[in-house]
Amino acid sequence: MRGSVLRTRGGLSVRLDTRAAGVVLLLAALAAVLAVALIGTGDYPMSPGEVLSTLTGGGTAAQEFIVNDVRLPRVLVGLLVGAALGIAGAVFQSVSRNPLGSPDVIGLGQGAAAGALNVIVLFHGGTYAVTGGAFAGALATGAAVYLLAWKRGIHGYRLVLVGIGAAAVLGAVNGYLLTRADYVDAARAVVWLTGSLDGRDWTQVRPLLVACAVLVPLVLGRGRALRMLEMGDDAAFALGVRVERTRLVLMLAAVLLTAAATAAAGPVAFVALTAPQLARRLTRSAGPNLPAAACMGAVLLVGADWAAQRLFGDRLLPAGVVTGMLGGGYLLWLLVNERKAGRI
């Protein structure tokens, strides 16, 4: 195993995977570069130097308004949503011991969308009501999938299959809700369902930041137990992990992270599926690689939003369209490899 051991004078030793740490630092730097580039992109273009000067208080009044009030909240939502989805995907893939065990595959994104659509279509709710609906829908879906997949424990493929069925049912429910909506609500719902960072402001940043500040340390603090769960319930129990309690806490945290991300930006497709897998391939380390997955998720979403604004001419696409195109191709590649390996 690669890495170095850090020892303190008190006798405490900690092993550090230098490759994984280097990957995290590089991904964090790339996310920061993309964030600066995205802030400078738009009808009023700004150079990276102007963006950095404005962020540190050296810009003109017009630049401060554009950066601090219009573009910075959008970028922060992108970074936080990407990180939340990356960590949530890593948790579910580790718990299910299946690369397909992603929130958007097992129906959590569709459940959050169903809750939000009910608020939009039936109650014409505002931003905070939609956020509450997304949380309620994701929690209800997560509880239903967990209970239906339970049979003397949680088996990875059973969890994925139950989740795929739940996603199909919820997709039909969402389609029905759209047919019941009037023109204005239907247009608003369709834009939200695509997954977009357009128009995001500080009202989306604050609750998302609070959710990440509470839930991300909770998940990171159980990273060692999560890694042991990948070895199987019996092995984890033998190593001192309280299996069911740990799994329930981690899954609940991942559901809440997915709900918070979906409420802020809509059901952004495939970030939760691809980010943990790409992070693991870069670090070449076993385990969930939670920090790398978070940074990779942030890079993917902010990079997709930048590409959606710059690479398609005058047509500004939602970020969810770009992640859907890239993630769909990755999913097909993953299914082919899983079939060749005899796992499906």
Side-chain angles (χ1 to χ4, degrees), residues 54-96:
T54 303
L55 289 174
T56 55
T60 65
Q63 289 174 336
E64 289 182 357
F65 171 76
I66 292 171
V67 170
N68 296 327
D69 295 337
V70 178
R71 296 179 183 174
L72 181 58
R74 174 185 184 132
V75 172
L76 289 177
V77 169
L79 292 171
L80 292 171
V81 167
L85 291 177
I87 289 180
V91 168
F92 273 102
Q93 289 174 11
S94 294
V95 167
S96 65

Side-chain angles (χ1 to χ4, degrees), residues 257-309:
L257 283 172
T258 303
T262 305
V268 180
F270 293 118
V271 172
L273 174 70
T274 57
Q277 294 295 312
L278 294 176
R280 182 172 295 193
R281 282 169 170 78
L282 288 176
T283 61
R284 299 178 185 174
S285 298
N289 291 284
L290 295 173
C295 293
M296 177 60 74
V299 167
L300 287 176
L301 188 50
V302 175
D305 195 39
W306 179 87
Q309 294 189 55

Side-chain angles (χ1 to χ4, degrees), residues 5 10-11 24 29 32 67 78 86 93 95 98 112-113 143 177 179 191-192 204 211 226 241-242 257 293 302 322:
V5 178
V24 170
V67 170
Q93 289 174 11
V95 167
N98 191 319
L177 288 172
T179 64
V191 172
W192 188 87
Q204 282 87 28
L226 182 61
V241 177
R242 304 173 72 173
L257 283 172
V302 175
V322 178

Side-chain angles (χ1 to χ4, degrees), residues 229-254:
L229 284 177
E230 289 188 345
M231 297 186 292
D233 290 359
D234 293 339
F237 181 77
L239 292 171
V241 177
R242 304 173 72 173
V243 174
E244 287 307 322
R245 178 179 177 180
T246 300
R247 180 158 49 209
L248 187 59
V249 170
L250 287 169
M251 289 184 67
L252 179 60

Side-chain angles (χ1 to χ4, degrees), residues 269-270 273-274 321-335:
F270 293 118
L273 174 70
T274 57
V321 173
V322 178
T323 61
M325 291 189 294
L326 297 177
Y330 179 82
L331 178 60
L332 291 175
W333 177 85
L334 182 62
L335 289 172

Side-chain angles (χ1 to χ4, degrees), residues 2-16:
R2 305 175 314 279
S4 58
V5 178
L6 305 179
R7 293 184 174 87
T8 65
R9 292 181 179 179
L12 178 66
S13 63
V14 177
R15 180 184 171 274
L16 176 65

Side-chain angles (χ1 to χ4, degrees), residues 104-108 110 162-172:
D104 41 12
V105 174
I106 64 176
L108 294 183
Q110 291 84 346
V162 170
I164 290 174
V169 173
L170 290 167

